[in-house]
Amino acid sequence: MVKIAPSTDPAKNFDDLLSYINEIRFAAHFLHVDVMNSNFVQKTNFDENFVAKINANTAMMLDVHLMVNEPDVLKYIEAGANIVTVHYEAFENKNKLKNALKLIREHKALAGLSIKPNTSVEEITSFLDYVDLVLVMSVVPGSSGQKFMEETYNKVSLLKDYIGKRPIQIEVDGGIVPEIAKNLKKCGADILVSGSYVYSSKDRVLAIKELMQN
């Protein structure tokens, strides 16, 4: 059974987000916290202070996705992140990327590495020994509600082969609905991020179960 991580991105404000969290907290496995500050993607939403505020108001595990150039990962760990995912493309110097991943693990959080749709799996194979999770973006990062890119299936299957017996989870984010969830599970995905599908559903708990059970 795949794990489901609803995203904070569609929430209108903090009160709306808290209401959303209370509704889904026993059905979902993680809360996927999208962080954007306009230097990696165009959108700006919030920073480590907002993560800390979320952490103070929920016992859910926080899966923090940093769409930020060369982020200070320690700030997010201190704010309560359980998983800290950085983007491969956000580090021009790949030694800095490797150091960031090591630092996340040293501070007892899970280290995640994300790739945009136009980044090949082959580009990140040398980093697999430093990560606990790879997040494959199935839409262009930066906004909720985009259509799932079909080429993601092949990327997930290929990534599964490269991972082999390593204890690395594959997460997919963007445009996921039940039929796509079913296909991604067959390809080897372990965690599915849902923004619009769960948030816009009349019965959000049922929507999570539909994604999980396919």
Side-chain angles (χ1 to χ4, degrees), residues 47-49 51-52 71-81 84 103:
D47 57 13
E48 70 278 3
N49 296 316
V51 174
D72 182 346
V73 295
L74 279 183
K75 288 182 178 180
Y76 293 91
I77 295 169
E78 291 167 359
V84 179
L103 194 61

Side-chain angles (χ1 to χ4, degrees), residues 6-11 17 20-21 31-34 45-46 50 54:
S7 170
T8 59
D9 194 37
L17 178 58
Y20 185 42
I21 289 170
L31 183 68
H32 188 85
V33 184
D34 284 316
N45 56 3
F46 44 78
F50 194 82
I54 294 171

Side-chain angles (χ1 to χ4, degrees), residues 27-28 32 40 44-45 55 67 76 82-83 102 105 111 126 133-134 138 168 172 179 183 185 187 197 199:
H32 188 85
F40 182 71
T44 299
N45 56 3
N55 188 50
M67 288 174 268
Y76 293 91
N82 303 104
I83 305 169
K102 288 180 179 178
R105 282 178 152 186
S126 63
L133 176 150
V134 176
S138 47
I168 299 171
V172 184
E179 186 60 33
N183 294 335
K185 183 179 178 182
C187 294
Y197 181 74
Y199 182 82

Side-chain angles (χ1 to χ4, degrees), residues 22-202:
N22 285 331
E23 191 174 345
I24 64 168
R25 61 192 172 123
F26 295 118
H29 297 84
F30 313 111
L31 183 68
H32 188 85
V33 184
D34 284 316
V35 175
M36 298 170 261
N37 69 352
S38 78
N39 70 11
F40 182 71
V41 296
Q42 289 185 347
K43 187 174 178 179
T44 299
N45 56 3
F46 44 78
D47 57 13
E48 70 278 3
N49 296 316
F50 194 82
V51 174
K53 195 174 178 183
I54 294 171
N55 188 50
N57 284 276
T58 181
M60 288 186 76
M61 284 189 67
L62 302 186
D63 171 19
V64 178
H65 177 195
L66 301 178
M67 288 174 268
V68 177
N69 283 329
E70 298 191 6
D72 182 346
V73 295
L74 279 183
K75 288 182 178 180
Y76 293 91
I77 295 169
E78 291 167 359
N82 303 104
I83 305 169
V84 179
T85 298
V86 296
H87 264 269
Y88 172 78
E89 306 87 359
F91 290 81
E92 190 172 340
N93 183 323
K94 300 309 178 188
N95 284 325
K96 287 186 177 181
L97 169 57
K98 192 176 290 185
N99 289 337
L101 294 169
K102 288 180 179 178
L103 194 61
I104 294 166
R105 282 178 152 186
E106 285 170 8
H107 286 79
K108 311 304 180 187
L110 297 180
L113 181 60
S114 184
I115 53 174
K116 290 181 176 182
N118 61 354
T119 298
S120 70
V121 169
E122 287 82 359
E123 289 187 58
I124 64 163
T125 54
S126 63
F127 294 91
L128 292 179
D129 288 331
Y130 302 94
V131 303
D132 304 290
L133 176 150
V134 176
L135 171 56
V136 179
M137 293 300 300
S138 47
V139 297
V140 177
S143 66
S144 186
Q146 297 178 64
K147 187 178 178 182
F148 177 86
M149 295 182 177
E150 296 284 329
E151 56 267 33
T152 306
Y153 295 130
N154 289 333
K155 289 181 80 170
V156 172
S157 297
L158 184 58
L159 181 58
K160 190 73 174 177
D161 289 340
Y162 276 116
I163 286 172
K165 295 183 179 180
R166 295 182 182 96
I168 299 171
Q169 297 188 80
I170 299 174
E171 184 173 33
V172 184
D173 182 359
I176 297 172
V177 296
E179 186 60 33
I180 290 171
K182 182 179 179 180
N183 294 335
L184 285 170
K185 183 179 178 182
K186 289 178 182 176
C187 294
D190 303 292
I191 304 168
L192 303 178
V193 177
S194 176
S196 298
Y197 181 74
V198 171
Y199 182 82
S200 61
S201 295
K202 289 182 179 178

